[in-house]
Amino acid sequence: MILVFSLKCKIFLCAAVLADVWKVDVEVNMEALVSSCVVLPCNFTYPAQQQPSDRIRAIWHKNKKWDDILFHRDSTLIEDNFKGRTKLIGSLGSLSCSLEIDEVKNTDSGPYCFRVELETAPKDKYSFVDNCVSIRMIEEAPKPVLEAETSVLEGEPAVFKCSVRYTCPTYPPSLTWSRSGNIISSYKDLGHGNWEAETLLTFTPTKEDSHTSIECTVTYHGNVKGEMKASRPVFVKAKSYDDDYTNTADLNVEISEENPTCQKKTVDFTSG
């Protein structure tokens, strides 16, 4: 019984050690739109009792360059190039270490590494230099993706869809249409640090809409360059009726002394 109990204790202790380790979860490859912003997703764990945010020190630094700091709560330690451009997103007490970089420059490619220091003991600190983040810079924004049917039917609701992808959920892009209608906008987390903004335009076309165009415009956070508009031509097909469709009309004829044989009749008219 003692041997079995001892074995169980060893298994339990081993599992506990494996669970309580220094660990970080980041996306090692990200994309960023120059002049806009980017959020580097980050979550971490540490082998100590969970601490409040004010007892955890978060640092982001360049890989293999410990003194090149892009985020620190002591702003005097931040490299001049990053001062005022970085901030943490989320709560350190909730084990979130996501970093926002604003006014992205084409030199901000990284790699960047996260370091955590606990105020529990001098040895409670760790730099995750094996899990650093590199950023691929996008110099100009691609135009929005605009989807619609080649032609629409007069008098029937038509739906146009416009979307863009982005990597800065703190400042999502806005999408607008060149005409009015019922508009529904949404934002979707695609995972791995990627997001999608989408807008649906629904309107009822008339024959006057034929040979016009629908335009979708995207506005990003920051002074972004690129193709901000996408357009699609509108071709409206006239609504047709089935040849066998019939309209029924009632003809009422008064009976008079001169025409005693007249009666109420139902006559079918067929639309041509």
Side-chain angles (χ1 to χ4, degrees):
M1 290 291 291
I2 296 176
L3 177 61
V4 174
F5 177 76
S6 176
L7 181 60
K8 287 183 177 179
C9 286
K10 288 181 179 178
I11 293 173
F12 173 78
L13 290 172
C14 182
V17 170
L18 288 175
D20 297 333
V21 295
W22 297 98
K23 183 180 178 181
V24 72
D25 182 17
V26 296
E27 294 297 330
V28 296
N29 293 298
M30 289 288 297
E31 292 183 344
L33 194 55
V34 173
S35 297
S36 188
C37 56
V38 62
V39 172
L40 311 182
C42 177
N43 293 284
F44 68 104
T45 58
Y46 50 85
Q49 185 177 356
Q50 190 161 343
Q51 302 294 311
S53 294
D54 60 1
R55 299 202 66 193
I56 303 173
R57 185 180 298 111
I59 303 167
W60 280 86
H61 62 86
K62 292 182 180 179
N63 189 25
K64 300 179 181 179
K65 296 181 180 179
W66 301 76
D67 294 330
D68 289 352
I69 296 174
L70 58 152
F71 175 82
H72 196 291
R73 68 185 180 192
D74 182 354
S75 60
T76 62
L77 299 177
I78 298 177
E79 186 180 325
D80 289 343
N81 184 44
F82 286 100
K83 282 184 178 179
R85 296 202 294 128
T86 59
K87 67 179 179 180
L88 287 184
I89 305 297
S91 167
L92 290 171
S94 300
L95 306 178
S96 173
C97 47
S98 298
L99 180 74
E100 177 194 292
I101 304 175
D102 198 9
E103 300 176 14
V104 171
K105 301 179 181 180
N106 55 15
T107 55
D108 291 342
S109 56
Y112 304 120
C113 312
F114 176 65
R115 176 177 173 83
V116 59
E117 298 178 353
L118 307 181
E119 296 184 1
T120 52
K123 64 180 178 60
D124 288 342
K125 56 186 69 174
Y126 197 92
S127 266
F128 300 97
V129 293
D130 293 329
N131 297 88
C132 299
V133 181
S134 296
I135 306 174
R136 185 175 75 87
M137 295 299 156
I138 301 175
E139 298 284 346
E140 295 188 353
K143 70 178 181 180
V145 177
L146 181 52
E147 303 174 56
E149 295 292 333
T150 304
S151 60
V152 295
L153 189 62
E154 179 187 2
E156 296 293 331
V159 179
F160 286 71
K161 173 184 172 182
C162 184
S163 62
V164 293
R165 293 192 175 187
Y166 59 103
T167 54
C168 188
T170 47
Y171 295 98
S174 64
L175 293 164
T176 55
W177 294 97
S178 60
R179 67 155 297 157
S180 60
N182 181 32
I183 298 173
I184 300 175
S185 298
S186 62
Y187 302 91
K188 184 190 304 180
D189 183 356
L190 301 178
H192 304 288
N194 294 293
W195 292 73
E196 183 180 63
E198 178 184 286
T199 179
L200 297 176
L201 167 68
T202 304
F203 69 98
T204 303
T206 64
K207 61 183 180 180
E208 286 77 17
D209 291 311
S210 194
H211 299 285
T212 62
S213 63
I214 297 289
E215 190 173 81
C216 171
T217 302
V218 59
T219 303
Y220 290 98
H221 170 73
N223 187 26
V224 176
K225 297 178 181 179
E227 292 189 74
M228 305 301 174
K229 296 182 179 181
S231 63
R232 288 287 297 270
V234 179
F235 300 103
V236 181
K237 294 191 298 184
K239 190 171 183 180
S240 61
Y241 297 89
D242 294 334
D243 293 336
D244 58 354
Y245 180 81
T246 59
N247 291 320
T248 302
D250 287 336
L251 293 183
N252 293 311
V253 181
E254 294 183 359
I255 300 176
S256 63
E257 292 181 358
E258 292 80 13
N259 189 13
T261 60
C262 288
Q263 300 178 4
K264 178 181 177 181
K265 293 185 179 182
T266 299
V267 182
D268 289 339
F269 292 94
T270 302
S271 299

